[in-house]
Amino acid sequence: MGSGGSNAERGFAAAIAPPLPAPAPAAANGAIFQQASGYAALTSGMRASRKGDIITILLVEDTRAAKSNSASKDRTGGISLTPPTTGLFSLFSPSDVASSGSQNFNGSGNAAQSNSLQGRISVTVAESYANGTMLVRGQKLTSLNRGDEHTQFSGLIRAIDISSDNTIPSTKVANARIIYGGTGEIASASKQGWLQKFFSFISPF
């Protein structure tokens, strides 16, 4: 591996938020519990709350969308005149001054899409805000024998939504950004070649 590293590796390193340094020990004041020694209130337990703490995101994304529409149109019209039996216009027959027409249109369309993503990814607290929300982000890079898979996650969470085991479902993450992709032979096999893309672009069908 070169010294520069790949884009995924550089992004992976940048996404990690290092933990805060340990606070300096406070002077003993005779109390049983010292905040600097790592004591946490019973109401918060050991839930993540500081920059660098680790939280596990439960990916439970499941979205479905469907749309359908239809339209129809039917229009008919006609005109018929009976010419007089005498005079100049008697030369015309009734069929010469009769006309009719019709118009029909029918159209319909349907579209459906569904997406599902299940799994877990552990992220770190990047920023902690005074209103009780935290910015979390992280990545997971997995190298397999036939390619690489990467997952990126970032978003805002509320401290009150974190469970006692430091997990939170992705459905409770605001401004969530989830990126999942892969590289390698398997990923390349599911993509069109450049020549196929060219003919698909110019094809009128």
Side-chain angles (χ1 to χ4, degrees), residues 143-154:
S143 295
L144 306 174
N145 56 350
R146 292 297 182 182
D148 298 335
E149 291 185 359
H150 63 269
T151 306
Q152 298 178 349
F153 187 93
S154 64

Side-chain angles (χ1 to χ4, degrees), residues 51-180:
K51 183 177 180 180
D53 288 349
I54 298 176
I55 298 174
T56 300
I57 305 295
L58 307 179
L59 299 175
V60 288
E61 297 297 317
D62 188 5
T63 58
R64 302 176 187 273
K67 181 179 180 180
S68 64
N69 62 73
S70 62
S72 63
K73 182 179 180 181
D74 189 1
R75 181 179 181 181
T76 59
I79 183 174
S80 178
L81 298 176
T82 302
T85 58
T86 60
L88 180 62
F89 294 101
S90 62
L91 300 175
F92 296 96
S93 63
S95 61
D96 293 336
V97 288
S99 62
S100 62
S102 63
Q103 184 180 12
N104 294 277
F105 169 78
N106 289 281
S108 63
N110 294 276
Q113 182 176 352
S114 62
N115 299 279
S116 179
L117 180 62
Q118 308 290 329
R120 296 184 175 212
I121 179 173
S122 293
V123 298
T124 55
V125 177
E127 297 291 342
S128 182
Y129 305 109
N131 63 349
T133 61
M134 292 176 285
L135 172 65
V136 297
R137 64 171 178 243
Q139 298 191 45
K140 178 187 289 186
L141 179 62
T142 306
S143 295
L144 306 174
N145 56 350
R146 292 297 182 182
D148 298 335
E149 291 185 359
H150 63 269
T151 306
Q152 298 178 349
F153 187 93
S154 64
L156 285 172
I157 64 173
R158 299 191 306 169
I160 195 174
D161 292 330
I162 303 174
S163 64
S164 58
D165 59 349
N166 280 326
T167 61
I168 182 173
S170 59
T171 53
K172 291 187 177 182
V173 180
N175 297 333
R177 183 179 181 184
I178 307 172
I179 301 176
Y180 177 81

Side-chain angles (χ1 to χ4, degrees), residues 38-53:
Y39 165 74
L42 294 177
T43 55
S44 62
M46 297 301 294
R47 290 183 177 89
S49 60
R50 302 194 309 164
K51 183 177 180 180
D53 288 349

